[in-house]
Structure formats: structure tokens, C-alpha cells
Amino acid sequence: MENRVLITGGAGFLGSHLCDRFYGEGWNVICMDNLITGAFSNVRHLDGKDRFTFIDYDVTNYINIDGPLDLILHFASPASPIDYLEMPIQTLKVGSLGTHKTLGLARAKKAKFLLASTSEVYGDPQEHPQKESYWGNVSPTGLRGVYDEAKRFAEAMAMAYHRYHGIDTRIVRIFNTYGSRMRLKDGRALPTFFRQALKNEPITVFGDGSQTRSFTYVDDLIEGIYRLVQSDYVEPVNIGNPEEISILDFAKEIIEITESKSEIIFEELPADDPKIRQPDISRAKEVLGWQPQTGRKEGLIKTMDYFKEQVLKNG
Ligand code: UDP
């Protein structure tokens, strides 16, 4: 029997890489996206192929899919802090209503369901590195609350459908990920620093740059997700590269890699910006036999050509 997967947010950065992976593994892929932060150009190369369908749709509404479905990957959501500050209601709706609708669809189709969750469920963490057992430190009314709480609700909803309706669910907690198809101007540190460095413009470090992040190369993340789908593990699993770096050192690293003449300038730190973030990946190692294969510098060098192209096209 053929396998058929629905990928919500399939035209986004991660969604489109998942479309490629599942298509490449022989699946029938339905990519659903309302294109508010995704871009059709991310999946244009698949369009017209007989195992690929694109549907322009907002998954916060009732979803109709003809025929069987074996798997739903729920990746629809604005995901950069700038995006979810500009679209707070859509962010809350896609994490809550969108998760409810896609879980309802999974129930109707007897499909497996994987939720794209996030390291943001840990908020500004008081445990370091973050294990899946940590409950987090999130301000529900803060600026990031719209994303963090929507994803926390989504996890609760996935577990409720698992426990109450017996749906075969998976939860991946994704840490900062980078690679081709990131939007040059999505506001996140990595594309912003690349753009600024490649144009020899000042690099904008927020706060004093002592806050840390741990950046994962997209191919590693997709491999982790693929393994999680194939496993029978229902509890959340962190997927991320534990190589931690301060944002100031990261800015310097991008300047070095791009051989840029940019200087670093300091701007105000946004509210609720987490001070530290590093995944504990013991669970992924044990349950999935997964660990990242691409070091940060190697991954950044691989990604640089993509950003060079983007700067030429879009400035
Ligand atoms: N950041 C920065 N300059 C920028 C954009 C972001 O210094 O132009 C900082 C941001 O305040 C945060 C870190 O870089 O501390 C990572 O931010 P990003 O938006 O990439 O994602 P986050 O991990 O905060 O969700």
C-alpha cells in the first residue's frame, strides 16, 4: 500500500524540507499552507509531480481531505519572534485551533500524527541544558506567550487525543534550526546576521549578546523527525544540536565565515528573550539513535551560498 502524508506548513522552511524528504522516500505528499509566512517557491520544484499536491488552505478551519491518510505532520505556524509579534492571533489560532483540526483529521483517517513543538515551551529556562522533563518558565501574558502557550496547548491537545482517542501521536521539540529556504528577512538572528555581514552592514546584536542559543543544521533536524515518525515513542523528544554559543560570539563567527567588514552594534534586548538555550539530547540518542552529524561551522558554510543568492535577489 502507498503511504500518504499531509504536511501542514509544507511550504515553509522546515515543512518544505519535510516535503522533499517524504517525497524522496516514496510517499504521496499533500502540502497544505496558507502562505502567510511560507512561500510556494519552496515547493515549486515538486509541483506537477504525480505524488505531490499543494493545497492553499488555513488549517484553523475544518479540513477536508479525500481518500486515506497515513500520517499528518503539523508544522503550520509563524515561527520567528518578529512574525509572531506581528501575527499574534494567527499564531495562537494555528497552535490551538489548527492542532485541534489536524488531530480531528488524524482521528477520522486513523492516521499517525506528529506535532512540531519547540524549545520555546521551556521559555526562559531555569534548568540547563533543557531535558524533556523540564516544565518550563513561560510568561503567559508576555510577548512570546502567543507562540509558547499555543505550542504548550498543542502538546496538551496531542497527549489528550493520544490518551482519550488512542491516536498514535509524536511530539518533537525543535531547537533553533537553520539552512536553505529560511527567509532572509524573517527577523531571526541567523538570517539577519548573514544578510548584514554579506552586505558589510552593521550586525545588530540585541542586549549585550551574552544570551546563548544552540543551532541545528536542517538536514540533521529532518533526519531526527523522520526517525521519530518511525519510532513508537509518544513522549516529547528534543531535537537540536547541543553546541551552545553566545549571540555575540555567533555574530563574530558569521563575520569570520563571510569574511565581512561589518562592525557589531548593540540594540535593545526584546522582552522575555530567553537567556540560555541548549538541548539535552540523551532521549533522542537513546530512543532514536539520533545525534547531529553537522557541526555549526560546517553547516554555516554549507548555508552561506543560499544566503548569498538571497541577498543578490532580495537585498
Ligand atoms: N537577535 C539579535 N539580533 C537580531 C536578531 C536576534 O541579537 O538581529 C538575538 C535575539 O534577541 C535572541 C537570539 O538572537 O537572543 C536568537 O534570536 P532568534 O530571533 O534567532 O530566535 P529565538 O531563539 O530568540 O527564538
Side-chain angles (χ1 to χ4, degrees), residues 144 176 188-189 192-193 204-206 211 213 247 273 277:
R144 285 181 180 243
N176 295 61
R188 282 189 268 203
T192 307
F193 290 178
T204 51
V205 166
F206 297 163
Q211 69 273 30
R213 294 294 185 272
I247 291 299
D273 200 282
R277 187 183 284 155

Side-chain angles (χ1 to χ4, degrees), residues 25 44 102 126 137 139 180 185 187 215 217 277 281 296 310 314:
E25 299 280 350
R44 185 169 287 129
T102 48
Q126 289 172 333
N137 178 36
S139 163
S180 61
K185 294 180 183 167
F215 294 94
Y217 185 59
R277 187 183 284 155
I281 58 165
R296 190 184 52 248
Q310 291 300 302
N314 308 310

Side-chain angles (χ1 to χ4, degrees), residues 38-59:
F40 183 71
S41 57
N42 287 336
V43 289
R44 185 169 287 129
H45 58 287
L46 293 172
D47 196 43
K49 298 199 190 272
D50 60 352
R51 284 187 287 108
F52 181 81
T53 312
F54 176 76
I55 304 173
D56 184 342
Y57 194 70
D58 177 349
V59 296

Side-chain angles (χ1 to χ4, degrees), residues 75-90:
F75 275 70
S77 180
S80 102
I82 298 278
D83 288 341
Y84 50 75
L85 292 185
E86 275 173 13
M87 294 176 271
I89 316 273
Q90 285 103 319

